[in-house]
């Protein structure tokens, strides 16, 4: 059994028309479905029905979904989640448009996590037979796919234990208080060969720090920054390099104030990867390796 | 144009019609505390000491509750002055910046 990847992020937006403009025209996602004040969107290189849901009213995370293998993984995860003491319920086909039966878990951090293996297949925009490397009619940044999410939790050690015991994620990088004090402040965890599929830092329960799109490389990142400037997108910081994950980054805000990221590169991990440790006195380098300075608020500002 | 005064820094700028408090300050070279500039994070939270404001775009109740609004709190990144206003943005100093407004429309103008 295995978790494959972050499948979808479902966020609230204060104004659906403005949000659509951002996610469709600036980021370049395609709307695949719309009903009841919700828009379902997909990036061009994603196969499954959708990867982002925008819901009108408020701001912040409603829930997020991870896709799992179809070999009985859901049953195995359910029993592990129950013995961990987490609340779970079965979700039914149609609870999320395009997504089949699955499992809904309330994390120790109060976030709602959905797990599923059955989801409508729409295919990428270049297809699977002798494809071009990218579609000619991309809009804006033209993001190919989502990549990871960073959430906040009052108890990072507990959430790390949940993700490793119940979902078989492995920590790639761990941020601890200091050399003397191993208190966990944040963890970047992987379910495949990426440096992170989920990350969390200490903060309020139930909140979203950001979710990220993967883009090709450093020059794609710089071009993404050009599009953001053309569209007056507020930048939080970047382009810069992360010490943690070694990826390139720009953090920016959607029109409701939800933080997005475009992320490029990063190393590969695997089951034998030994976690990297960062201490809080070096957290600024860990987060923004280029500038070695971040505003205190960067970690506190969440939706 | 309406006069926006922020205290305790005691800075005064003029806001254009429809311009938010944060945008008016930025246009005059002042960076007040903000993060998302989109009403979502609460980092800019301030107290409206006098005058009236409006929110042309909806602001999430989880960021600014009706009770907080009634008690005089506001989000300067989304608040547009309706009259001259005085805001208390807290003791954080204003930072002098050169901030660009959105790219001008590139279409050539009639008669140029
Ligand atoms: S800066 Fe985020 S709410 Fe005003
Ligand atoms: Fe990230």
């Amino acid at each position: 059994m295995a978790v494959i990847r972050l499948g979808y992020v479902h966020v609230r937006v204060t104004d659906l028309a403005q949000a659509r403009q951002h996610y469709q025209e600036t980021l370049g996602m395609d709307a695949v479905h719309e009903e009841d004040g919700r828009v379902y969107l997909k990036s061009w290189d994603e196969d499954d029905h959708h990867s982002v849901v925008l819901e009108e009213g408020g701001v912040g995370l409603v829930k997020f979904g991870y896709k799992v293998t179809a070999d009985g993984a859901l049953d195995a995860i359910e029993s592990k989640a129950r013995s961990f003491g987490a609340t779970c319920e079965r979700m039914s086909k149609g609870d999320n448009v395009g997504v089949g039966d699955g499992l809904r878990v309330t994390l120790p951090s109060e976030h709602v996590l959905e797990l599923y293996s059955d989801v409508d297949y729409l295919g990428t925009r270049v297809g699977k037979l002798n494809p071009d490397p990218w579609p000619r009619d991309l809009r804006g940044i033209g993001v190919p796919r989502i990549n990871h999410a960073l959430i906040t939790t009052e108890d990072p050690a507990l959430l790390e234990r949940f993700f490793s015991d119940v979902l078989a994620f492995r920590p790639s990088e761990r941020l601890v208080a200091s050399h003397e004090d191993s208190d966990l402040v944040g963890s970047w965890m992987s379910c495949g060969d990426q440096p992170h599929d989920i990350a969390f830092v200490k903060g309020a329960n139930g909140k979203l720090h950001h979710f990220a799109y993967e883009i090709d490389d450093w020059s794609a990142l710089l071009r993404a920054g050009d599009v953001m400037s053309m569209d007056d997108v507020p930048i939080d910081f970047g382009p810069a390099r992360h010490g943690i994950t070694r990826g390139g980054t720009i953090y920016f805000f959607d029109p409701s104030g939800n933080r997005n990221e475009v992320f490029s590169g990063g190393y590969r991990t695997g089951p034998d990867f030994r976690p990297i440790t960062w201490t809080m006195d070096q957290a600024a380098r860990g987060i923004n390796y280029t500038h070695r300075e971040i505003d205190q608020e960067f970690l506190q500002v969440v939706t | 144009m309406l006069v926006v005064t922020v205290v305790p820094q005691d800075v005064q700028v003029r806001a254009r019609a429809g311009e938010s408090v944060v945008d008016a300050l930025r246009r005059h070279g002042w960076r007040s505390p903000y993060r998302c500039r989109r009403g979502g994070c609460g980092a800019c939270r301030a107290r409206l000491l006098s005058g009236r404001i409006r929110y042309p775009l909806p602001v999430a109740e989880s960021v600014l509750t009706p009770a907080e609004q009634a008690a005089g709190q506001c989000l300067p990144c989304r608040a547009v002055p309706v009259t001259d206003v005085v805001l208390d943005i807290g003791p954080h100093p204003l930072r002098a910046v050169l901030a660009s407004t959105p790219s001008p429309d590139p279409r050539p103008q009639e008669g140029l």
Side-chain angles (χ1 to χ4, degrees):
Chain A
M1 65 136 236
V3 179
I4 304 170
R5 76 175 79 83
L6 174 63
Y8 55 80
V9 177
H10 184 145
V11 291
R12 295 184 185 284
V13 296
T14 44
D15 183 292
L16 200 53
Q18 284 210 332
R20 285 186 78 135
Q21 181 70 24
H22 174 79
Y23 287 93
Q24 290 181 241
E25 303 306 320
T26 303
L27 294 176
M29 298 185 81
D30 297 312
V32 294
H33 188 81
E34 179 163 11
E35 72 177 35
D36 306 334
R38 291 179 191 172
V39 181
Y40 298 74
L41 303 131
K42 171 181 156 328
S43 315
W44 69 262
D45 206 21
E46 287 165 336
D47 280 328
D48 292 344
H49 185 266
H50 63 266
S51 61
V52 169
V53 182
L54 307 172
E55 178 171 334
E56 188 157 59
V59 62
L61 187 68
V62 177
K63 58 190 181 182
F64 55 160
Y66 280 77
K67 191 178 187 184
V68 303
T69 50
D71 53 358
L74 285 174
D75 294 331
I77 291 170
E78 179 169 16
S79 77
K80 285 184 182 169
R82 288 196 193 282
S83 52
F84 196 94
T87 320
C88 5
E89 61 178 17
R90 284 281 163 168
M91 70 180 196
S92 323
K93 186 175 178 65
D95 280 9
N96 300 284
V97 176
V99 181
D101 293 343
L103 185 66
R104 184 175 297 124
V105 185
T106 305
L107 297 178
S109 54
E110 296 169 21
H111 298 87
V112 176
L113 175 77
E114 294 180 334
L115 300 154
Y116 60 94
S117 54
D118 174 24
V119 55
D120 289 356
Y121 174 88
L122 297 184
T124 72
R125 277 199 17 218
V126 292
K128 300 289 180 183
L129 181 65
N130 307 323
D132 291 318
W134 43 272
R136 282 292 287 273
D137 53 348
L138 289 179
R139 292 180 308 277
I141 297 169
V143 290
R145 68 187 71 86
I146 61 166
N147 181 271
H148 66 269
L150 195 159
I151 58 179
T152 55
T153 173
E154 286 168 14
D155 191 343
L158 178 64
L159 195 56
E160 187 185 63
R161 200 150 53 75
F162 182 92
F163 270 95
S164 63
D165 291 1
V166 178
L167 299 168
F169 280 52
R170 301 171 310 272
S172 301
E173 311 221 15
R174 306 177 79 244
L175 175 62
V176 300
S178 67
H179 292 279
E180 297 75 37
D181 177 359
S182 64
D183 224 23
L184 191 68
V185 180
S187 183
W188 284 254
M189 300 184 79
S190 169
C191 60
D193 71 345
Q194 304 202 99
H196 62 334
D197 295 280
I198 182 75
F200 38 90
V201 294
K202 201 177 174 74
N205 275 349
K207 295 289 190 179
L208 174 69
H209 186 275
H210 69 268
F211 67 94
Y213 295 87
E214 177 183 322
I215 56 177
D216 280 355
D217 54 22
W218 183 256
S219 68
L221 207 72
L222 203 58
R223 186 185 170 281
D226 293 344
V227 175
M228 291 177 204
S229 188
M230 291 171 194
D231 289 355
D232 193 35
V233 173
I235 306 285
D236 200 0
F237 79 66
R241 184 205 274 278
H242 286 307
I244 296 168
T245 73
R246 294 184 203 146
T249 183
I250 303 178
Y251 286 111
F252 54 103
F253 294 99
D254 81 2
S256 306
N258 295 302
R259 195 190 276 100
N260 300 155
E261 179 186 21
V262 282
F263 177 87
S264 70
Y267 52 75
R268 296 295 92 170
T269 58
D272 60 343
F273 188 86
R274 297 196 187 196
I276 293 165
T277 301
W278 291 83
T279 51
M280 256 327 259
D281 60 316
Q282 294 297 317
R285 266 172 77 237
I287 292 163
N288 187 335
Y289 188 80
T290 314
H291 299 90
R292 302 180 309 283
E293 179 182 307
I294 53 169
D295 291 344
Q296 292 275 0
E297 270 181 339
F298 175 74
L299 290 174
Q300 292 148 14
V301 165
V302 292
T303 55
Chain B
M1 282 204 278
L2 302 169
V3 179
V4 174
T5 308
V6 294
V7 296
Q9 298 79 5
D10 207 21
V11 165
Q12 278 198 349
V13 301
R14 280 171 195 280
R16 290 177 178 156
E19 195 175 42
S20 75
V21 170
V22 161
D23 286 344
L25 286 167
R26 273 165 57 86
R27 194 166 48 76
H28 288 88
W30 295 114
R31 192 198 202 283
S32 55
Y34 62 72
R35 205 85 212 174
C36 73
R37 281 197 286 133
R38 293 295 182 262
C41 72
C44 62
R45 188 180 296 274
R47 279 178 54 78
L48 180 65
L49 299 182
S50 75
R52 279 188 299 118
I53 51 164
R54 67 187 173 96
Y55 292 97
L57 288 159
V59 160
E61 283 195 8
S62 59
V63 184
L64 187 69
T65 66
E68 287 168 338
Q69 266 196 70
Q73 292 200 31
C74 66
L75 298 178
C77 72
R78 281 301 199 203
V80 171
V82 176
T83 62
D84 290 354
V85 290
V86 181
L87 279 90
D88 180 348
I89 63 164
H92 197 94
L94 288 176
R95 196 145 59 79
V97 292
L98 251 184
S100 298
T101 46
S103 307
D105 192 331
R107 279 168 298 189
Q109 280 165 27
E110 205 78 34
L112 285 181

